[in-house]
Amino acid sequence: MALHAVSLDGTVGIVYKAASHPFGAGEFATGFVKLDGGFSLPGAGTVTFNVFPPVAGPVDLGGGGTLLLAGDMHLASSATLPDSGMIDGAGNTIFLDGDLSVPAGKTITIISDTTIDGQGHVLNLSGDIVVAGGASTVLTLRNVIITGLSGTNLSVAAGGSSRTLVLQEAVIHLSGDFVFSEGSLEILDFVRIMEPFSFVFNSDLDLLIEEDSTLFIDIDTDLFYIPADSLSTHFVMAGPSSQLFLNGAFLTVPRSVGLRLTDGHLIIDHKTTFLSDGPTQESQGIILGDGSTAGTLQVTIMPGASIEVEDGFLSYKNPS
């Protein structure tokens, strides 16, 4: 069976182009197609990709075109994203062979299940990434260093859906206060959030730390828990091996919300501050455990660490 790209000048077999290739709506590239000058999509319409070599140069989504993946895709270290557009990952993975930036003023919209595997490289968000598509669409950002995170520039589209952002083996550098206000947030493996800003969870769905996974909040970073429907139970640990590690961080919970942590493992290092904004009753504060064996929260305070409670309740409810 020949590997071909009929849309590239009608050529069958191995295709190489040094200049940017302009696609038309409905065209496709398949097999051994080497695009060292990148490509451009039409302003509307879909182009299907299933190519083996990495794509280099500008990957221009045309402002409103759709890139449909029929297989995994590699972006070379020279790849850029000069314009907005949509990615229909169809369950496939985009591998970054180098650092990649979403430019300021541009938006990449994910419209079906997609994984971006940074392979240890940087994904810089000067612009926006939005998870849209069907109600259960999942975007996974894996093995990546994310910089430039602030405002709402990594978001789930509004609409009360169960769309999910998965952070897996990721390091996140905040460049300002960041608000996650829609959809579910899932933590896999080890995720570290750092820099002296707030990471605000403001959705009415769950922040879930999976088993054998750690959410690590670093020095002077504030994990601000204020779900939209003001329930104390949207911060979920999947089991005993789920870890929240507060490393000289802040955990802020407004008194209208309250927070109960159960089932997992809380680790405290350095001077860590709990702030529950002056609640008038214990249930409005931060509660560790629920009194049952099943809901026990293991708590480890590292040598030399300390806990400071500012203006609120911190209650320990594990069974004795």
Side-chain angles (χ1 to χ4, degrees), residues 240 261-265 288-298 316 318-319:
L261 295 175
T262 62
D263 302 331
H265 187 185
L288 309 181
D290 65 3
S292 71
T293 301
T296 295
L297 180 76
Q298 182 181 351
Y316 185 82
N318 283 329

Side-chain angles (χ1 to χ4, degrees), residues 220-223 246-253 268-276 286 306-311 314:
D220 292 334
T221 302
D222 187 4
L223 177 59
L246 301 177
N247 184 49
F250 295 84
L251 177 60
T252 300
V253 181
I268 304 293
D269 203 356
H270 296 90
K271 179 185 174 182
T272 292
T273 302
F274 292 81
L275 174 62
S276 53
I286 299 170
S306 64
I307 296 175
E308 180 174 302
V309 180
E310 288 189 5
D311 197 18
L314 175 63

Side-chain angles (χ1 to χ4, degrees), residues 60-90:
D60 187 343
L61 302 180
T66 299
L67 178 65
L68 171 61
L69 300 184
D72 294 341
M73 181 181 193
H74 280 257
L75 296 181
S77 59
S78 63
T80 61
L81 293 170
D83 208 348
S84 303
M86 292 178 281
I87 296 177
D88 187 346

Side-chain angles (χ1 to χ4, degrees), residues 195-255:
E195 312 303 348
F197 299 104
S198 294
F199 186 100
V200 181
F201 183 79
N202 185 218
S203 177
D204 60 1
L205 296 178
D206 289 345
L207 190 168
L208 170 65
I209 304 177
E210 291 284 8
E211 293 208 65
D212 299 311
S213 299
T214 300
L215 176 58
F216 185 99
I217 309 298
D218 217 336
I219 292 175
D220 292 334
T221 302
D222 187 4
L223 177 59
F224 198 112
Y225 175 82
I226 180 170
D229 58 3
S230 299
L231 289 180
S232 65
T233 54
H234 281 311
F235 197 122
V236 179
M237 295 188 181
S241 60
S242 305
Q243 295 185 341
L244 173 62
F245 197 131
L246 301 177
N247 184 49
F250 295 84
L251 177 60
T252 300
V253 181
R255 64 179 174 182

